[in-house]
Amino acid sequence: MGNMSVNKLGGLSLILGPVVSIISFLVRPGGGIVGGNVDPADSAASIGVLLQNSGSAGISFLLLSIGLIVMLFGLSVLVNNLKDGEGLAVGRIGLLFILLATAGWVASLALTLTIAGGSIPAAATQSAGAVYAAGLGINILSSILAAVGFTFVVLGLLASGKYNKNFTLLVLVLQLVTVVTSVMGGNDLSFLQTASMIAGGVYVVTVIYVANIGRSMLNEG
């Protein structure tokens, strides 16, 4: 590992980071596997499932944060491999959006972990609700920023012409859909759960896409 090239480590990060984050996202309390599928707009239900599954919350949130950071490194290597005039500029703009989104997601996870870890007394329901609302707000904004960022990055990859054009176009269209649904979810909390499900489906396709690119980077060395 210590002697691995930046390109190979970036490729490995594009494979492992997204996979770890998506698995952690699914097993987080309320994510569908642990504690059922809870509407994130329902603060009482969300706080309840966090308190009931504090152990899995701590593990999944930690792994989710690590996965997101590892993926960010992989994306930074990928974008920096682009040539000026062939998607580099627009890719770097997208990378900045994803950087801010990742920071927001980690901050949101930290706030949610505060609730799950019992740092807020059970009797202080208003305090827990306020912390959850703050975390949800950060998460919603981060999701919008990430959707915009991925759109720019994929647009840069399309301009480079280095990767499967049809697959890249598909991912680009899906990212544009996510931008729209994320904004809709942020403005109408009743649509938030649906927006999250759509974003999750798009993320799975994006994971497959970047994993294929990561494998190519590993082979290139």
Side-chain angles (χ1 to χ4, degrees):
M1 180 69 76
N3 296 324
M4 184 178 292
S5 68
V6 173
N7 201 55
K8 279 192 173 182
L9 186 56
L12 186 62
S13 298
L14 285 179
I15 298 172
L16 295 180
V19 171
V20 169
S21 63
I22 199 169
I23 293 174
S24 303
F25 184 78
L26 290 173
V27 300
R28 82 195 193 285
I33 296 177
V34 177
N37 196 352
V38 178
D39 186 353
D42 187 342
S43 60
S46 297
I47 291 172
V49 77
L50 284 171
L51 294 174
Q52 292 168 10
N53 302 277
S54 58
S56 61
I59 296 173
S60 61
F61 290 167
L62 174 61
L63 291 177
L64 180 55
S65 298
I66 293 173
L68 290 171
I69 293 170
V70 170
M71 178 180 67
L72 176 62
F73 171 77
L75 289 173
S76 67
V77 174
L78 173 61
V79 169
N80 288 329
N81 282 346
L82 299 177
K83 295 181 180 179
D84 194 18
E86 296 181 0
L88 178 61
V90 69
R92 283 183 173 174
I93 292 176
L95 197 61
L96 179 58
F97 275 85
I98 296 174
L99 171 63
L100 295 174
T102 302
W105 274 330
V106 172
S108 175
L109 289 170
L111 289 173
T112 309
L113 190 57
T114 300
I115 299 172
S119 300
I120 300 175
T125 54
Q126 289 186 341
S127 297
V131 172
Y132 181 80
L136 180 62
I138 295 173
N139 183 64
I140 290 172
L141 179 58
S142 298
S143 297
I144 296 172
L145 292 177
V148 173
F150 273 107
T151 299
F152 278 123
V153 168
V154 176
L155 189 60
L157 297 177
L158 181 64
S160 72
K162 294 177 61 177
Y163 306 102
N164 186 293
K165 182 178 180 181
N166 291 333
F167 201 175
T168 304
L169 280 171
L170 172 62
V171 175
L172 179 60
V173 171
L174 291 176
Q175 293 300 334
L176 289 171
V177 171
T178 306
V179 172
V180 174
T181 56
S182 297
V183 172
M184 290 173 61
N187 285 283
D188 181 5
L189 292 183
S190 65
F191 185 71
L192 185 58
Q193 187 173 27
T194 301
S196 298
M197 293 173 63
I198 294 172
V202 171
Y203 187 66
V204 170
V205 178
T206 305
V207 165
I208 297 173
Y209 175 69
V210 298
N212 282 331
I213 294 176
R215 186 178 59 180
S216 299
M217 292 169 64
L218 278 173
N219 293 333
E220 291 172 1

